[in-house]
Amino acid sequence: MKKMKPSFCCLVFLFFLVFSATQCSAATCQSSERAALLQFKNSFVPNPSCLGSPPVVASWGVEGGTTDDCCSWDGVECSNQTGNVVGIDLASGCLYGSIDSNSSLFRLVHLQTLTLSDNNFNLSQIPGGIGQLTDLRQLDLAGSGFSGPIPSAISRLSKLETLRLSSINISSAVPDFVANMSSLRSVSLGACGLTGIFPQKIFHLPNLQHLVLPYNPHLSGSLPEFNMNSSLVRIWLEQTAFHGELPSSIDNLKSLTSLKLGNSSFSGIVPATIGNLTGLLELELYANNFSGPIPSSLERLTELTRLFLSYNKFRDATLSWVGKQNKLAYLGLSGIRLSGTLLPSVGNLTNLVQLLLGENELTGEIPSWIGDFAELTDLHLYGNKLSGSIPKSFSQLMNLKHLYLQSNYLNGTVEMSMFMKLESLTELHLTANKLTVLDDHVGKPNETLPNFNLLGLGSCNLTQIPTFLEKQNELELLELGENNIQGQIPKWMWSMSRERLMVLNLSHNALTGVEEFQDALPWLNLTVLDLSNNRLRDSRPILPAICKLSKLVALDLSSNLMSGVLPQCIGTFGSLDIMNFRQNSLHGTIPDTFRSGSKLRFLDFSRNQLQGQVPRSLANCKILEIMDLSDNQLTDGFPFWIGTLPMLRLLILRSNHFHGIIEEPETNTEFPMLRIVDFSFNNFSGDLPLKYITNSKGMKIFNTTASAYRNTFITFSFDYVWALEFFYSTTITMKGYQRDYSRIQEVFTSLDLSSNRFEGQIPDLVGNLEGLQSLNLSHNMLSGPISPLMKNMARLESLDLSHNQLSGPIPPELSQLHFLSIFDVSYNNLSGPIPTGNQFNNVDNSSYVGNVGLCGDPLSKQCGDSKPPSSDSDEDEDEGSDFKIKFKTVLIGYGCGALVGMIVGNYILGRKEEWFKKTFKIGIPKNWEE
């Protein structure tokens, strides 16, 4: 056979290409598909959130606009061979309306790609008609406004490779059929409100590479044992309820580059085999319950760019494994009990953007080589035991935005000019160290500091409010507490950051007033105002001025010298959570202006000179937890309506002029949560009002393992999520022994009805107070026997029944109270032998004096001895009226735990209890989409 010449072959091939191209260009969409698209277009109206922009589909088929060929329309893709529509991409297309299963869209049966993300389909359900698109490879409905469960029709999409439904409201379980869709390569269901248990078999889909499920807090599940042939590249499960351990077989995921399990419920040890995933770029295990050592094998993960292990329960954690991961840009190791020093090997991480080591136990000095981290934007070293001075090299960190050094032992002098060149610095926190901060650029008008959003200079030995603040117009939080700032608040402060300031703390200083009176404080966005523990004497202009701060959440003016009356507005704030006027010289009545829907949780008017009645409108404060009205001149009967407050936990009416009989409650719903009660030093009479108290679940049900302290959080969002935290405190005094509870544990319970005119017997229902820790009924007119059912009060630590008219024996059953450490029945008419055993062996004589009929140890009178005992008491007390003697009683006090910190989570530095001891945690940004 004769061979063709090469030139002829080339001509033939060229002709073939031209012919093919001609055929392809000639392909147009089918008329039926064009009609289906136009019908689909007409089902939508303009999206009101698109600010007048028409939907993308509005241009389809417009005469004089796009052509009749739908293959050229925006967002439409056709096959070059057949002309069939194979792709629809209308992401962010301003579509508004609904799609049901009868939509003409589902007549496009050749579709392989359907992207409708970031539109608004008006909470319509995901249409089951999608199941007709059996050629579909990619389905993207993320952020599209659909709602409802994943329809079973999707199970018919046997060729589906990508299923992306993130940020739509599914609010149901992931159906089991997803585990049978063997073609799936990517499943993205983030922030969908998923519930139930995630089907574990999905992890074993043969082609699955990306499993993205974050921000589904009610989605439970656990990790399987992984197979050698797994294709997984990404596993993102942060902020879910996934639990259990990391399997040691995790090193079978040879292709894994990103593992994000943060803020979930994982536990156990981190297996050393994780160090075999040498291709890993991102590892996030923060905010779980991992324990044991941090595996040293992590040093082999040299490709890592992100590593977050913060807020776990690791043991013996050090930085010895850090240093070889020199590609790291983000390193978060806060709150994991790191000890030791900042090792020189950490200095190898010169690409760091974030170095987060707060809330640990690091010691030594801050090394100067941190100044070599040229890319660093965030440095968190707060809440450690670091000492020495702040390195001068910090002035080289030109990209630094956030510097948190608070709550350490740093010392020396800090000149504010060292931060002058750091133009990006917006958050600087130096509070709670031993530093002396100098405003050293005074008189240098051409030199300015960065514009701060947050500035914490608490306990920095300031004697005046720094003058550089006058030029700060972007401050959101200013912390100057615990200094020695004297004199008046300067008038220039009224023009500082008027539009931005949200938190102002000038507490624990020596401020005496305001330099220039104003009708209103200028910061209309102010959320927290703390001027407590100063010497502010005149209530003007502060008290009237607060009325215009409509966004206030926390107001603390306690421990000043303010006179005057409470403004009428105090009950009208729509957002106020914490109100503290404790320890001033305020007089007049409490305004009866508290509105329905009040958000008030903490109310303290104690230690003033307030008169009149308890305002009935306080019944509108349905979420109130703390009410302290003690040490005033209030004159009222028992405010029985307070019992309807469902969240009330602490009620203190001590040292007022309350009077009358406290009648039995009409229902069993009064005081359902009450845990701490103090009605002492009033004129209440009648029987003991124990039915009110025994109604409270707080006195009966308790968790003996709980260690959380009672507090109030107020959260804010700056660049991180922050929380101001107020702790509640109590003081107990008995027989000269005083115990301060600077933070009340959640399980703490106390009842003080002392120094009133209660009479009659102690009812047996006192035994129902199973959770009570302190009981004081002293200095009343109680009679009859001591109830043996008190033995049921198994947690009781302190019992004072002194100065009554009780008779009969001390029940021997009380020896079963194993925690009882303070016991006083002095000055009653008790008789018989004193119980022995357990805690009774440690009670001294003074607890029994004034009971001539008692006998046995520790008294000198032995049982059977008729000779009256000599008094062993060293106390000289008037035995006349109960109301003239020098009281020896339990005084349940209450002090607002001062604001102690900027934090996220429940960690508080235990060694420092002042207002300004602040800690911070990182909030990982929601950067989880593909």
Side-chain angles (χ1 to χ4, degrees), residues 411-562:
N411 54 45
T413 299
V414 178
E415 298 173 346
M416 288 300 295
S417 60
M418 75 176 290
F419 305 112
M420 205 161 289
K421 295 181 181 180
L422 307 184
E423 297 180 357
S424 299
L425 190 64
T426 60
E427 298 180 8
L428 173 65
H429 212 325
L430 305 179
T431 295
N433 283 286
K434 299 177 182 179
L435 297 168
T436 298
V437 172
L438 298 180
D439 184 5
D440 63 321
H441 78 297
V442 175
K444 300 176 182 177
N446 295 327
E447 297 181 358
T448 59
L449 286 166
N451 273 323
F452 295 108
N453 298 139
L454 176 150
L455 183 61
L457 300 179
S459 67
C460 284
N461 290 310
L462 296 172
T463 57
Q464 65 177 16
I465 295 176
T467 57
F468 71 82
L469 293 174
E470 184 175 2
K471 298 181 180 179
Q472 293 287 323
N473 55 19
E474 297 182 10
L475 273 172
E476 298 180 22
L477 183 148
L478 177 61
E479 150 71 289
L480 298 177
E482 286 285 352
N483 282 291
N484 190 28
I485 300 173
Q486 303 184 21
Q488 294 184 316
I489 300 173
K491 61 182 179 181
W492 57 256
M493 280 198 74
W494 305 127
S495 60
M496 177 198 72
S497 300
R498 281 175 175 260
E499 305 298 324
R500 301 290 295 273
L501 195 65
M502 297 174 61
V503 179
L504 176 61
N505 172 25
L506 296 174
S507 69
H508 294 84
N509 280 290
L511 294 167
T512 57
V514 179
E515 188 175 76
E516 183 176 287
F517 284 177
Q518 301 282 328
D519 292 334
L521 296 177
W523 306 292
L524 297 182
N525 290 307
L526 200 64
T527 307
V528 175
L529 176 62
D530 191 345
L531 301 178
S532 63
N533 291 276
N534 277 285
R535 300 174 186 172
L536 299 172
R537 185 175 298 274
D538 195 334
S539 62
R540 299 173 301 154
I542 295 171
L543 285 185
I546 63 175
C547 291
K548 295 185 180 180
L549 300 178
S550 60
K551 297 183 180 180
L552 268 183
V553 175
L555 174 65
D556 193 346
L557 302 178
S558 62
S559 300
N560 278 287
L561 305 171
M562 286 187 180

Side-chain angles (χ1 to χ4, degrees), residues 41 58-67 73:
K41 163 193 170 179
S59 63
W60 290 1
V62 175
E63 184 176 354
T66 57
T67 68
W73 293 353

